[in-house]
């Protein structure tokens, strides 16, 4: 059973890191202000473009970063153990401090959308709660998330009440700023590096809210782990209930997407949709967890899905950084293909699918020889010292 639980957690982690890529892809390909925009994308609003946007927003956006956050909360307990264990607690602290270093380097030198820094900071706070009971973790995490959800919905809706005259006055300035940012990301290697670093620096202002969001999801994830939901040990009835709630949230999102299109992409409809999308993400995420558990419990072809994804999850850190390397090489100026601003959403989906296949293949090849990914090994050596396994071969 222990082996099955490890395979399940690794499979969920693999699902998370692959799913995140489709959501992150637009942020590599166009300027931040346009990455999730429906109307202002440089390639128009053709049916193929809108279809990819709708599927991504409906089934992927927010769900997989939520899954990743939940699983990171679990890792705090698996690595650090109970709070009363000073040796493992010290190791966990060192692990998170080195993760801060990786996050800063990744965010400023590679891609501004880094999540490692947020996870590490949230982990340093959340590690103090790792010995809480499942009930307390879930109660606290859900309470924090509920408050944030209200902000997700009310805030964007209130922003639509801004006077139209003010929007018109700002349009020329915003267009000029967007053009300047696009030129920087499309420029030579130094200009794109500086543009990325500047964007990353601006995003640091949002870290307190991101850390709070992430901490809430980590609490929910660790609470689900302690109740057996993330280990596959909960009852079939529990998973059916989670699946029902998740499907209900997706039906709601589907209806809101229909409203978005019926309103001709009105700002109000898009704002309401985005808010509800964020608020309901944990429900959809736990539905995906339930489907993975049912796949792991099956005796047919579905059982192959967790085993297909498990090696990807075992080297999730390596695969996450590799995704940034590949996408930056494809899109940023002076790094490789320099396709920034030139690929529409269907093209991004095709690139994402190709990277999925590549990462599944190389993860299986690597993990057939070693017990951890290359960056996982470096990270482990840094926070555990030379006694960490040097060349674990199976």
């Amino acid at each position: 059973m222990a082996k099955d639980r490890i395979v399940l957690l690794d499979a969920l982690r693999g699902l998370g890191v692959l799913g995140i890529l489709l959501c992150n892809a637009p942020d590599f390909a166009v300027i931040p202000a346009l990455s999730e925009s429906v109307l202002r994308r440089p390639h128009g609003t053709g049916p193929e473009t809108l279809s990819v946007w709708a599927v991504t927003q409906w089934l992927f956006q927010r769900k997989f970063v939520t899954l990743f956050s939940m699983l990171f909360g679990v890792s705090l307990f698996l690595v650090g153990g109970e709070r009363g264990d000073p040796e493992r607690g010290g190791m966990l602290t060192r692990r998170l401090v080195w993760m801060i270093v990786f996050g800063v380097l990744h965010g400023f030198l590679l891609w501004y959308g880094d999540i490692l820094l947020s996870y590490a900071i949230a982990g340093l706070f959340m590690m103090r709660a790792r010995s809480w009971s499942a009930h307390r973790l879930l109660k606290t995490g859900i309470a924090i998330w509920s408050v944030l959800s209200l902000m997700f919905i009310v805030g964007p809706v209130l922003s639509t009440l801004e006077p139209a005259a003010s929007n018109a006055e700002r349009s020329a300035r915003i267009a000029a700023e967007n053009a300047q940012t696009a030129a920087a990301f499309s420029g030579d290697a130094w200009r794109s590096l500086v543009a990325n670093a500047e964007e990353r620096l601006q995003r640091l202002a949002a870290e307190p809210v991101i850390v709070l969001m992430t901490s809430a999801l980590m609490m929910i994830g660790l609470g689900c782990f302690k109740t057996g939901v993330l280990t596959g040990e909960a009852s079939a009835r529990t998973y059916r209930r989670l699946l029902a709630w998740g499907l209900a949230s997706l039906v709601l999102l589907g209806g809101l997407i229909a409203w978005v299109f019926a309103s001709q992409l009105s700002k109000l409809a898009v704002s309401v949709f985005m808010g509800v999308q964020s608020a309901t993400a944990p429900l959809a995420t736990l539905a995906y967890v339930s489907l993975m558990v049912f796949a792991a419990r099956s005796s047919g072809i579905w059982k192959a899905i967790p085993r297909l994804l498990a090696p990807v999850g075992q080297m999730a850190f390596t695969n996450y950084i590799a995704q940034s390397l590949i996408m930056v090489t494809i899109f940023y100026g002076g790094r490789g293909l320099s396709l920034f601003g030139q690929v529409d959403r269907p093209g991004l989906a095709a690139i994402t699918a190709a990277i999925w296949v590549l990462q599944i293949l190389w993860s299986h090849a690597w993990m057939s020889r070693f017990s951890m990914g290359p960056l996982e090994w470096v990270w482990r050596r840094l926070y555990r010292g030379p006694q960490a396994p040097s060349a674990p071969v199976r």
Side-chain angles (χ1 to χ4, degrees), residues 328-330 332-338:
V328 163
T329 301
I330 293 173
Y332 279 20
R335 313 287 184 90
L337 299 179
S338 299

Side-chain angles (χ1 to χ4, degrees), residues 205-225:
E207 279 300 313
V209 175
I210 295 173
V211 167
L212 186 60
M213 291 169 53
T214 305
S215 298
L217 293 173
M218 288 180 182
M219 289 182 186
I220 295 172
L222 183 52
C224 289
F225 174 80

Side-chain angles (χ1 to χ4, degrees), residues 73-95:
V74 174
S75 73
L76 297 177
F77 181 75
L78 294 179
V79 174
E82 297 291 347
R83 190 176 175 186
D85 188 333
E87 182 178 351
R88 292 181 66 181
M91 181 174 64
L92 175 60
T93 300
R94 293 191 300 274
R95 187 176 192 258

Side-chain angles (χ1 to χ4, degrees), residues 38-53:
V38 189
L39 287 173
R40 295 184 293 144
R41 290 279 295 192
H43 302 283
T45 55
E48 299 86 0
T49 297
L50 289 179
S51 296
V52 173
W53 176 86

Side-chain angles (χ1 to χ4, degrees), residues 47-390:
E48 299 86 0
T49 297
L50 289 179
S51 296
V52 173
W53 176 86
V55 171
T56 303
Q57 296 293 329
W58 181 34
L59 300 178
F60 288 83
Q61 196 71 31
R62 314 290 183 233
K63 285 77 171 173
F64 293 98
V65 70
T66 295
L67 176 59
F68 224 54
S69 300
M70 289 181 175
L71 293 173
F72 194 83
V74 174
S75 73
L76 297 177
F77 181 75
L78 294 179
V79 174
E82 297 291 347
R83 190 176 175 186
D85 188 333
E87 182 178 351
R88 292 181 66 181
M91 181 174 64
L92 175 60
T93 300
R94 293 191 300 274
R95 187 176 192 258
L96 293 172
V97 168
W98 277 110
M99 191 175 186
I100 289 176
V101 174
F102 283 120
V104 170
L105 293 175
H106 177 235
F108 281 95
L109 300 181
L110 199 57
W111 181 54
Y112 63 80
D114 169 76
I115 59 171
L116 300 177
L117 178 62
S118 303
Y119 280 17
I121 296 174
L124 288 171
F125 288 105
M126 171 57 195
M127 64 182 289
R128 301 176 181 274
R130 66 186 189 276
S131 291
W132 288 3
S133 68
H135 176 75
R136 186 179 180 186
L137 285 164
L138 290 171
K139 182 179 178 180
T140 306
I142 292 172
I144 295 173
W145 189 258
S146 297
V147 173
L148 292 172
S149 296
L150 187 61
M151 294 170 53
F152 295 155
I153 297 172
V154 174
V157 171
L158 291 178
S159 70
T160 65
L161 303 179
E162 185 177 349
S166 176
N167 289 335
E169 293 169 2
R170 292 166 46 202
S171 60
R173 176 175 56 84
I174 292 175
E177 291 175 353
N178 289 347
Q180 184 177 10
T181 303
F185 277 102
S186 304
D188 57 28
W190 176 250
R191 289 187 67 194
S192 63
L193 177 65
V194 171
N196 180 81
E198 289 176 346
E199 178 63 29
R200 181 58 189 152
L201 189 61
Q202 292 178 18
R203 292 191 170 218
L204 291 179
E207 279 300 313
V209 175
I210 295 173
V211 167
L212 186 60
M213 291 169 53
T214 305
S215 298
L217 293 173
M218 288 180 182
M219 289 182 186
I220 295 172
L222 183 52
C224 289
F225 174 80
K226 290 188 174 185
T227 60
V229 169
L230 293 182
T231 63
E233 296 177 301
S235 67
R237 183 181 181 186
T238 296
Y239 291 116
R240 285 195 294 269
R241 285 181 173 178
L242 291 174
L243 184 58
W245 278 105
L247 290 177
S249 73
L250 291 175
V251 169
L252 173 61
L253 288 180
L256 290 175
I257 289 177
W259 176 36
V260 167
F261 289 137
S263 67
Q264 297 183 342
L265 310 176
S266 73
K267 187 176 180 181
L268 175 62
V270 172
S271 297
V272 172
F273 168 74
M274 293 293 188
V276 174
Q277 176 196 67
S278 295
T280 60
L283 296 175
T285 296
L286 290 174
Y288 293 167
V289 169
S290 300
L291 290 174
M292 186 69 76
V293 170
F294 286 138
R297 289 180 175 182
S298 71
S299 57
I301 191 173
W302 299 108
K303 193 175 183 65
I305 295 176
R307 299 192 179 278
L308 178 71
L309 295 174
V312 182
Q314 286 179 279
M315 48 190 292
F317 181 27
T318 297
N319 281 322
Y320 174 68
I321 298 297
Q323 289 173 357
S324 294
L325 282 169
I326 294 171
M327 297 297 275
V328 163
T329 301
I330 293 173
F331 292 105
Y332 279 20
R335 313 287 184 90
L337 299 179
S338 299
L339 295 179
F340 194 85
Q342 301 179 43
V343 181
D344 199 5
R345 294 188 192 276
L348 287 177
I351 291 171
T352 297
I355 296 174
W356 284 350
V357 173
L358 181 62
Q359 291 200 310
I360 290 172
L361 292 176
W362 82 34
S363 296
H364 276 264
W366 184 274
M367 295 308 302
S368 67
R369 300 184 59 192
F370 303 99
S371 65
M372 65 185 72
L375 285 184
E376 283 79 4
W377 178 81
V378 171
W379 188 18
R380 189 180 179 93
R381 291 275 291 188
L382 288 170
Y383 74 79
R384 293 189 62 173
Q387 72 272 20
S390 56

Side-chain angles (χ1 to χ4, degrees), residues 16-31:
V17 76
L18 294 179
I20 283 174
L21 177 58
L22 182 62
C23 305
N24 289 343
D27 294 284
F28 288 101
V30 296
I31 63 174

